[in-house]
Amino acid sequence: MNDKEILDSIKKIVTPYTQRKEGLENFNEETDFIKDLEVNSANLVDVILDVEDEFNIEIDNDSMEGMLTVGDAKNIIERKLASA
Amino acid sequence: MIGNDIIDLNLIRNQSNWQRQGFLQKLFTEKEQAFILNSKDPELKVWLLWSMKEAAYKAVQRKYKLDRFYNPKRFVCEQVKIKLGKARGVVCFEEDVFQINSIFFPTMIHTSTANTEFSLISENKNSRLRLLQKIAAQKNIPLESLNISKDKQGIPFLTYRGDNLQIPFSLSHHGNYSAYAVSLNMS
């Protein structure tokens, strides 16, 4: 799976939790879930659970701790897929 | 150090399904999960404990000037006692222990650290003005010289003619509600 496919997949996952839809227009690795997309902090866990389901990986608490941007999520997914 | 959190319960019901597989396990310790699931009103307990963790997180972030992070299980709620629309408890984060108070209504929960001298809860967006009015009156300074700025970690602070007033406060918005918690002493 290449970078773009992973980013598209993250975008699809985060869209229903995005309160600031303009944030989706310029969706890239710098996009911050809370600042740019205004995802509610309780919904971040839904993003994580959806990512786990979609990629069939498990995101431990230490990885979750630094998952603030789309790029952070992409790096975690790639790392987990590589070690699977 | 101060921290607060407000939850619009009508909105959170639409935004989150706490009964979803894995949801409680990601956010709460096993002891917290048992506390929630053994209670008569698990939904209220979910959001009460969540607001406690959020308030403590803000206090920790402010105390240690930390960058943002997302690890709710590092904040452990203990000794939660509930009575007549109020709750108190502690949240432990490593060596720190925060005393926490909450009030709740059918439509909202507001939680703040116990060093809060006063809090303002608004159903509309005017709580910013109300906060500035209150500080202006307390400090006997003109309202128009007061402002709110944010530092690079996103932590808000009050300024008087551009100078940091060093009045610790915390703000929270959710849905129809916003709330400020202010500590006028320097703690």
Side-chain angles (χ1 to χ4, degrees):
Chain A
M1 198 175 249
N2 65 32
D3 271 20
K4 189 181 174 300
E5 286 169 330
I6 293 179
L7 290 187
D8 287 347
S9 185
I10 296 170
K11 186 175 182 180
K12 204 169 136 200
I13 285 171
V14 81
T15 296
Y17 309 112
T18 297
Q19 299 187 79
R20 188 174 163 272
K21 299 290 180 197
E22 309 95 276
L24 293 170
E25 286 164 21
N26 181 27
F27 190 88
N28 61 55
E29 294 200 21
E30 309 287 302
T31 303
D32 188 299
F33 292 118
I34 289 177
K35 279 190 187 161
D36 298 321
L37 305 180
E38 293 182 8
V39 174
N40 180 301
S41 56
N43 281 140
L44 258 189
V45 78
D46 291 298
V47 173
I48 288 157
L49 291 168
D50 289 349
V51 165
E52 288 187 336
D53 289 347
E54 176 70 25
F55 294 94
N56 200 19
I57 53 176
E58 196 188 327
I59 298 175
D60 54 277
N61 289 332
D62 289 342
S63 303
M64 184 167 99
E65 176 157 319
M67 207 177 111
L68 301 174
T69 65
V70 170
D72 296 333
K74 194 206 80 178
N75 291 337
I76 292 162
I77 292 164
E78 285 179 342
R79 210 169 60 230
K80 298 283 172 186
L81 286 176
S83 66
Chain B
M1 280 296 145
I2 199 155
N4 79 327
D5 191 59
I6 197 155
I7 296 180
D8 180 328
L9 289 170
N10 292 322
L11 180 62
I12 203 87
R13 269 181 209 118
N14 287 323
Q15 287 180 327
S16 290
N17 171 16
W18 65 270
Q19 298 185 74
R20 167 179 192 181
Q21 176 92 34
F23 186 91
L24 293 181
Q25 289 80 357
K26 285 270 188 239
L27 299 182
F28 298 105
T29 65
E30 282 181 22
K31 234 172 121 183
E32 290 166 346
Q33 291 173 46
F35 174 80
I36 289 165
L37 295 171
N38 293 331
S39 101
K40 275 185 225 153
D41 187 354
E43 181 184 55
L44 176 70
K45 303 302 165 15
V46 167
W47 301 121
L48 177 65
L49 296 196
W50 175 248
S51 70
M52 291 174 68
K53 286 172 187 257
E54 288 273 275
Y57 164 75
K58 288 181 191 171
V60 162
Q61 207 206 356
R62 180 181 298 265
K63 181 171 179 181
Y64 298 108
K65 304 193 191 312
L66 299 178
D67 288 334
R68 293 177 303 139
F69 63 100
Y70 191 70
N71 198 342
K73 273 189 176 175
R74 285 174 75 189
F75 295 83
V76 179
C77 301
E78 285 176 10
Q79 302 166 34
V80 181
K81 307 253 186 326
I82 297 171
K83 203 174 167 187
L84 301 171
K86 289 185 180 172
R88 27 187 344 151
V90 302
V91 178
C92 302
F93 177 82
E94 290 161 18
E95 303 297 304
D96 284 291
V97 179
F98 295 92
Q99 306 285 328
I100 305 271
N101 297 318
S102 302
I103 51 167
F104 51 91
F105 299 92
T107 55
M108 99 33 205
I109 298 176
H110 182 243
T111 295
S112 57
T113 50
N115 56 344
T116 299
E117 195 144 333
F118 68 88
S119 53
L120 293 165
I121 301 171
S122 296
E123 257 195 77
N124 42 39
K125 305 257 186 260
N126 74 356
S127 58
R128 182 181 184 279
L129 177 62
R130 287 176 58 206
L131 171 74
L132 295 178
Q133 284 169 336
K134 178 124 185 174
I135 300 291
Q138 291 264 3
K139 296 267 168 189
N140 199 21
I141 48 182
L143 178 63
E144 56 277 13
S145 311
L146 281 173
N147 231 316
I148 296 175
S149 304
K150 279 190 177 183
D151 71 13
K152 67 179 191 317
Q153 275 99 11
I155 296 168
F157 60 96
L158 279 157
T159 58
Y160 171 58
R161 295 191 174 136
D163 292 334
N164 191 341
L165 272 176
Q166 310 285 352
I167 297 173
F169 79 102
S170 177
L171 79 122
S172 179
H173 294 278
H174 188 234
N176 285 331
Y177 296 96
S178 62
Y180 284 88
V182 182
S183 156
L184 288 179
N185 61 33
M186 304 286 288
S187 61

